[in-house]
Amino acid sequence: MRLIAFDAATGKVNWKWDDDGPAYSSPVIATLGGVRQLITQSQKHCLAVSPADGKLLWKIPFATSYDQNSVTPVVAGDLVIFGGVQKPTFAIKVTGSEATPAWDAREITMYMSTPVIDGTTLYGMSDKQRGSLFAMNATTGAVLWKSEGRLGANASLTDVGSAILVMADTGELTVQQKGGNALKELAKFKVADSPVWASPAIAGDRLLIKDKTNLVLFQIKGSG
């Protein structure tokens, strides 16, 4: 794995960090304990480096059965939430350059699907039950709600305010309304005939869906 920081104006490489193997997780930037940090997963660790110079701030061991960390970290206050295939979803408390365990939820495991957060509620898809939506308390790790399952192997979740778009790899897009601790399905659309692994892209009232072979543009009509 190599984290590289470029100067956006010139393309000059400012720094590199390459002390572990690759992963599929995307980095996020947050200020925790007064320290600005770039947080991500590598092949065998969860870690943070300084965006200014690439200096390692903290690192904790985290490896899955396939060395395939794919879930992007989620920041909730001073907590950072991580997950991986066949591993409990867990949170660490970050204070500057120190990271300590906060909670873990063995009932929820995630493979490739990154959850979204609204206030103190974390919504996501577990790989258990062949794909099950869930809601968790991001502060305590308590599981608030789980769906029946069979959603698919993977789903991309997009927060659009009062609802969440759930794009399953099966080609089905559902609109899930937030309500209390659960989600309520408002609508379901078949938007692709081949597997969808990419996240949808929203541009105004347009929705772009990329399946295995096509990129399709949909227009969103109506309000709400």
Side-chain angles (χ1 to χ4, degrees):
M1 173 185 178
R2 174 171 287 181
L3 293 172
I4 304 178
F6 295 93
D7 185 298
T10 66
K12 176 186 174 182
V13 175
N14 290 333
W15 56 259
K16 300 177 182 178
W17 186 92
D18 55 2
D19 289 348
D20 197 3
Y24 298 93
S25 172
S26 297
V28 297
I29 291 181
T31 300
L32 300 170
V35 178
R36 193 166 183 261
Q37 39 199 286
L38 183 153
I39 307 164
T40 191
Q41 291 193 58
S42 62
Q43 189 173 25
K44 296 182 182 296
H45 293 88
C46 301
L47 60 99
V49 301
S50 167
D53 56 15
K55 179 182 177 181
L56 182 68
L57 296 174
W58 53 264
K59 180 172 68 173
I60 59 175
F62 184 73
T64 64
S65 301
Y66 310 109
D67 286 340
Q68 196 180 49
N69 291 333
S70 305
V71 178
T72 296
V74 175
V75 177
D78 60 356
L79 301 180
V80 184
I81 301 169
F82 294 95
V85 60
Q86 299 177 356
K87 294 287 186 176
T89 297
F90 68 98
I92 58 172
K93 183 176 181 178
V94 178
T95 305
S97 57
E98 295 184 3
T100 56
W103 55 257
D104 67 73
R106 300 183 180 275
E107 189 178 352
I108 300 296
T109 64
M110 296 183 288
Y111 179 22
M112 292 178 286
S113 180
T114 295
V116 296
I117 192 166
D118 183 2
T120 59
T121 304
L122 187 76
Y123 298 101
M125 192 196 91
S126 170
D127 58 351
K128 291 188 175 182
Q129 298 174 282
R130 299 184 181 180
S132 173
L133 295 176
F134 68 83
M136 297 176 65
N137 185 306
T139 304
T140 65
V143 179
L144 306 173
W145 167 86
K146 289 194 302 180
S147 69
E148 294 180 358
R150 297 185 179 275
L151 183 64
N154 180 61
S156 298
L157 279 68
T158 305
D159 192 339
V160 292
S162 62
I164 294 174
L165 302 183
V166 180
M167 182 70 250
D169 63 330
T170 58
E172 286 191 337
L173 175 72
T174 60
V175 181
Q176 304 279 347
Q177 184 181 38
K178 301 172 188 173
N181 297 329
L183 293 171
K184 178 183 179 182
E185 185 178 296
L186 297 179
K188 179 186 290 186
F189 307 96
K190 184 69 174 178
V191 296
D193 294 322
S194 62
V196 178
W197 297 98
S199 298
I202 300 175
D205 62 349
R206 306 296 176 92
L207 178 68
L208 285 158
I209 303 290
K210 173 66 175 72
D211 64 15
K212 184 178 180 180
T213 56
N214 301 296
L215 178 63
V216 182
L217 177 67
F218 295 88
Q219 184 172 11
I220 304 171
K221 295 183 178 180
S223 61

